[in-house]
């Protein structure tokens, strides 16, 4: 008969949320100050006030650490119910644009994206830790709009995932390009024009699916 192990008899030290936060904060600060090429695990450990072995128990490489430091920032994005699809989209796009203007987000995101062009595992980690997690906003917003009657129900449930991917790509691609590549303002006027174009396209795509 197996003896059940009580919480008191388990070995090992539990992972500290405070240490994780300190490490991720230190990673973003180091990126802004030093850039990708000069950033080291040792520097991050020193800034966070932890042993380097503590970092390596959590993250196997600098790539993984930086992606998670970025992912935490994107997890701050929310989609409050503002009563209409238009208002919901405008709100989250403005949130996204403001996030991209923060030095720690801009530096970290551009660094990992550039590095991922020659590192497939890093590209996959970006996809799973950032992109896939943020698609929740698209799913939530589209379902809410369908419940309000602003968008038709999906005719083909099997195509829902592909539609969500496309919507995410359009929004993320446009905002990142505008804010970080073209370095143009993502202000309320631009967001209103972009949202009008997006909603028109969404209606046509949903009706055809």
């Amino acid at each position: 008969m197996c003896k059940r192990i009580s919480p008191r008899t388990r070995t090992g030290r539990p992972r500290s949320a405070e240490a994780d936060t300190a490490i991720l904060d230190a990673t973003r600060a180091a990126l802004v100050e030093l850039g990708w090429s000069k950033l080291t695990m040792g520097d991050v450990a020193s800034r966070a006030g932890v042993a380097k072995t503590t970092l390596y128990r959590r993250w196997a490489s600098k790539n993984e650490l930086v992606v998670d430091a970025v992912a935490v920032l994107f997890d701050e994005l929310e989609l409050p119910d503002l009563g209409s699809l238009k208002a919901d989209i405008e709100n989250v796009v403005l949130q996204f644009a403001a996030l991209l203007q923060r030095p720690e987000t801009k530096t970290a995101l551009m660094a990992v994206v550039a590095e991922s062009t020659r590192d497939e595992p890093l590209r996959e980690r970006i996809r799973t830790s950032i992109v896939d997690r943020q698609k929740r906003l698209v799913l939530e917003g589209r379902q809410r709009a369908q419940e309000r009657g602003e968008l038709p129900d999906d005719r083909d449930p099997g195509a829902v995932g592909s539609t969500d991917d496309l919507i995410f790509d359009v929004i993320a691609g446009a905002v990142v390009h505008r804010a970080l590549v073209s370095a143009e303002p993502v202000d309320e006027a631009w967001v209103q024009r972009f949202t009008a174009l997006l909603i028109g396209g969404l209606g046509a795509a949903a009706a055809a699916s």
Side-chain angles (χ1 to χ4, degrees):
M1 180 177 179
C2 292
K3 182 179 179 181
R4 186 175 179 180
I5 300 176
S6 69
R8 292 183 180 179
T9 59
R10 289 175 183 163
T11 59
R13 181 176 299 174
R15 182 163 173 166
S16 166
E18 290 183 0
D20 284 358
T21 298
I23 291 167
L24 296 176
D25 287 347
T27 301
R28 292 188 294 268
L31 269 171
V32 172
E33 182 179 333
L34 303 174
W36 176 275
S37 62
K38 295 182 179 179
L39 176 70
T40 67
M41 298 288 270
D43 181 75
V44 171
S46 177
R47 289 169 183 259
V50 301
K52 189 155 56 170
T53 53
T54 301
L55 259 69
Y56 282 108
R57 281 199 298 268
R58 291 161 163 78
W59 295 277
S61 68
K62 179 173 80 171
N63 291 357
E64 293 183 4
L65 174 60
V66 173
V67 170
D68 282 4
V70 178
V72 167
L73 296 177
F74 283 97
D75 285 341
E76 296 176 9
L77 295 174
E78 298 178 344
L79 190 67
D81 187 347
L82 298 180
S84 71
L85 178 60
K86 178 178 181 295
D88 289 354
I89 292 174
E90 290 177 353
N91 178 270
V92 78
V93 169
L94 286 170
Q95 284 184 62
F96 184 29
L99 181 61
L100 292 178
Q101 289 307 308
R102 288 163 56 176
E104 64 271 28
T105 312
K106 184 187 305 185
T107 303
L109 182 62
M110 296 295 275
V112 295
V113 169
E115 191 67 18
S116 72
T117 61
R118 51 182 178 271
D119 187 335
E120 179 57 34
L122 176 58
R123 189 179 303 127
E124 179 60 27
R125 190 172 182 89
I126 292 172
R127 185 180 300 116
T128 57
S129 298
I130 300 176
V131 176
D132 289 348
R133 278 182 7 203
Q134 297 315 313
K135 285 179 183 176
R136 63 184 169 82
L137 299 171
V138 173
L139 177 62
E140 182 181 347
R142 198 159 63 86
Q143 288 180 337
R144 186 185 293 162
Q146 288 174 335
E147 292 169 359
R148 294 191 192 111
E150 295 175 289
L151 291 176
D153 292 336
D154 302 297
R155 294 181 181 179
D156 180 7
V160 170
S162 296
T163 301
D164 289 342
D165 288 348
L166 180 58
I167 296 169
F168 181 88
D169 289 346
V170 170
I171 295 175
V175 178
V176 169
H177 186 276
R178 174 91 178 170
L180 301 185
V181 179
S182 298
E184 296 288 343
V186 183
D187 53 22
E188 290 190 8
W190 183 88
V191 171
Q192 289 172 358
R193 293 196 303 273
F194 172 69
T195 301
L197 178 63
L198 182 64
I199 291 176
L202 280 176
S209 63

